[in-house]
Amino acid sequence: MERTGVIAFQGGGLTLLGTEVKVGDKAPEFTVLDNGLGAVSLKDFPDKTVVISVTPSLDTPVCDMQLRKFNESAAKLSTDVVVLNISMDLPFANARFCAAAGIDRVKTLSDYKDAAFGMAYGLLIKELRLLTRAIVIIDKTGTIKYIEIVPEVTNHPDYEKALAAVK
């Protein structure tokens, strides 16, 4: 499935691949890789509210800031909330970034192998094979409670609105 007219990169339109998800939908299952190349799935977080910060690449300033913002915010959230950052960055790059930046509250995960997350949530950019910038919040019942797809990939998401949706 392809969608156009949803996102742009520096003003130029891009195509999203995968199944579009909406608030109220059952969150699709996915498998991505942790920083040690271990498989991680949505089902690994039962009875948790799952905040997924989606970034194109941690090697860019906006993605860097997005991860740092969620890492800082995660410290203030209850223990029944888990914060994930999913990108197409390699697990080794994620581990290096987290070590250098002191990221210790957000689990960085990689979708590089199969793009399973990107396709399941309709967030894979066809032209770049990167994930688009987005925030997805899944409640304890496995239902999508909040989703923001940032229209201009180089812009920040609405952090305050997303964090308010967690509470």
Side-chain angles (χ1 to χ4, degrees):
M1 176 183 208
E2 293 189 7
R3 293 180 294 145
T4 58
V6 180
I7 62 162
F9 181 77
Q10 297 178 338
L14 295 171
T15 308
L16 288 177
L17 298 177
T19 306
E20 181 180 12
V21 295
K22 295 181 167 92
V23 170
D25 289 353
K26 178 82 174 143
E29 188 56 58
F30 60 86
T31 300
V32 291
L33 297 176
D34 67 17
N35 295 348
L37 298 177
V40 175
S41 298
L42 184 58
K43 65 180 175 268
D44 293 330
F45 307 101
D47 303 317
K48 298 275 188 187
T49 295
V50 181
V51 177
I52 305 174
S53 166
V54 187
T55 54
S57 175
L58 296 178
D59 287 325
T60 65
V62 176
C63 296
D64 176 310
M65 186 181 250
Q66 183 172 329
L67 179 55
R68 289 174 194 266
K69 175 75 173 170
F70 277 106
N71 190 65
E72 178 185 307
S73 299
K76 300 171 189 148
L77 299 173
S78 72
T79 56
D80 62 346
V81 177
V82 63
V83 183
L84 313 175
N85 190 93
I86 303 178
S87 71
M88 294 297 262
D89 291 321
L90 293 176
F92 315 112
N94 283 340
R96 187 173 55 248
F97 179 90
C98 290
I103 302 298
D104 58 355
R105 303 276 185 162
V106 175
K107 297 178 188 313
T108 53
L109 301 168
S110 176
D111 199 25
Y112 91 93
K113 188 175 178 189
D114 300 317
F117 172 79
M119 290 299 290
Y121 286 73
L123 300 175
L124 182 65
I125 302 171
K126 178 181 180 179
E127 294 84 354
L128 304 174
R129 200 172 191 282
L130 294 173
L131 299 177
T132 195
R133 187 173 318 286
I135 299 171
V136 180
I137 299 174
I138 302 164
D139 71 16
K140 293 177 186 179
T141 69
T143 302
I144 296 176
K145 179 179 179 181
Y146 175 91
I147 186 163
E148 176 190 7
I149 298 174
V150 180
E152 169 54 58
V153 178
T154 60
N155 290 346
H156 288 274
D158 187 335
Y159 301 110
E160 289 71 32
K161 193 172 179 184
L163 290 167
V166 174
K167 297 176 179 157

